[in-house]
């Protein structure tokens, strides 16, 4: 069964449903652990810093974004870790999955950048093509 489950999470509705599935699968095996990966795009990070200089810190906003998934995992008794990666979402997720011997990668079919995904090809599609492990894409 899957022991090391990688969840790509960005706070979108699709990633929330992906999180629910990751936790359900992890509950099937007491040895399973979910690694939650959140990717910070450096281009967007600069924009966020400029727009949020006088509000809650970006670190606090990221923690708040992840609170929903971490609360569900904790409530369900599923062990998890959080990894915050820097870079473009698709390549960062692929590199992490391929470098860390992941058993299953779970990702939402659409993230927060729906229009960009439509024009350039979705992150989930890129991940499914290039990851060396099974990939579950959740609608």
């Amino acid at each position: 069964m899957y022991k090391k489950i990688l969840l790509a999470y960005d706070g979108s509705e699709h990633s929330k449903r992906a999180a629910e599935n990751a936790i359900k699968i992890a509950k099937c095996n007491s040895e399973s652990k979910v690694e939650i990966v959140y990717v910070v795009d450096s281009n967007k990070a600069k924009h966020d810093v400029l727009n949020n200089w006088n509000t809650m810190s970006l670190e606090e906003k990221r923690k708040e974004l992840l609170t929903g998934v971490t609360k569900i995992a904790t409530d369900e008794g599923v062990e998890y870790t959080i990894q915050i990666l820097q870079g473009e979402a698709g390549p960062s997720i692929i590199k992490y999955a391929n470098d860390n011997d992941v058993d299953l990668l779970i990702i939402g079919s659409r993230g927060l950048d729906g229009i960009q995904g439509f024009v350039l090809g979705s992150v989930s599609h890129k991940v499914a093509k290039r990851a060396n492990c099974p990939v579950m894409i959740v609608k």
Side-chain angles (χ1 to χ4, degrees):
M1 208 59 192
Y2 305 113
K3 290 184 181 178
K4 195 172 194 178
I5 302 168
L6 181 64
L7 169 65
Y9 190 82
D10 67 359
S12 67
E13 287 304 313
H14 289 278
S15 73
K16 289 176 184 176
R17 287 192 290 276
E20 292 168 2
N21 280 275
I23 290 165
K24 284 180 187 175
I25 292 169
K27 284 182 65 175
C28 294
N29 182 353
S30 62
E31 295 178 20
S32 291
K33 180 177 177 180
V34 176
E35 294 188 26
I36 304 165
V37 172
Y38 176 77
V39 181
V40 178
D41 185 334
S42 56
N43 293 327
K44 290 180 188 173
K46 291 174 191 173
H47 180 264
D48 289 344
V49 168
L50 292 173
N51 286 334
N52 297 299
W53 63 271
N54 63 349
T55 59
M56 184 187 319
S57 79
L58 290 175
E59 187 66 29
E60 289 171 349
K61 284 188 176 186
R62 289 178 188 140
K63 285 181 182 176
E64 185 178 301
L65 176 85
L66 294 166
T67 299
V69 67
T70 58
K71 182 180 181 334
I72 294 169
T74 301
D75 291 348
E76 296 293 331
V78 172
E79 188 178 345
Y80 68 89
T81 59
I82 297 172
Q83 299 293 329
I84 297 183
L85 308 176
Q86 302 262 335
E88 190 180 339
S92 297
I93 294 166
I94 294 162
K95 180 171 178 14
Y96 187 88
N98 291 345
D99 290 350
N100 289 282
D101 200 27
V102 171
D103 296 319
L104 175 66
L105 192 158
I106 303 178
I107 187 169
S109 60
R110 289 274 180 218
L112 293 175
D113 292 337
I115 294 173
Q116 181 182 10
F118 178 73
V119 174
L120 301 175
S122 70
V123 171
S124 58
H125 180 73
K126 291 176 188 175
V127 168
K129 282 177 37 177
R130 296 187 179 103
N132 295 333
C133 64
V135 176
M136 175 186 283
I137 300 175
V138 179
K139 287 184 174 185

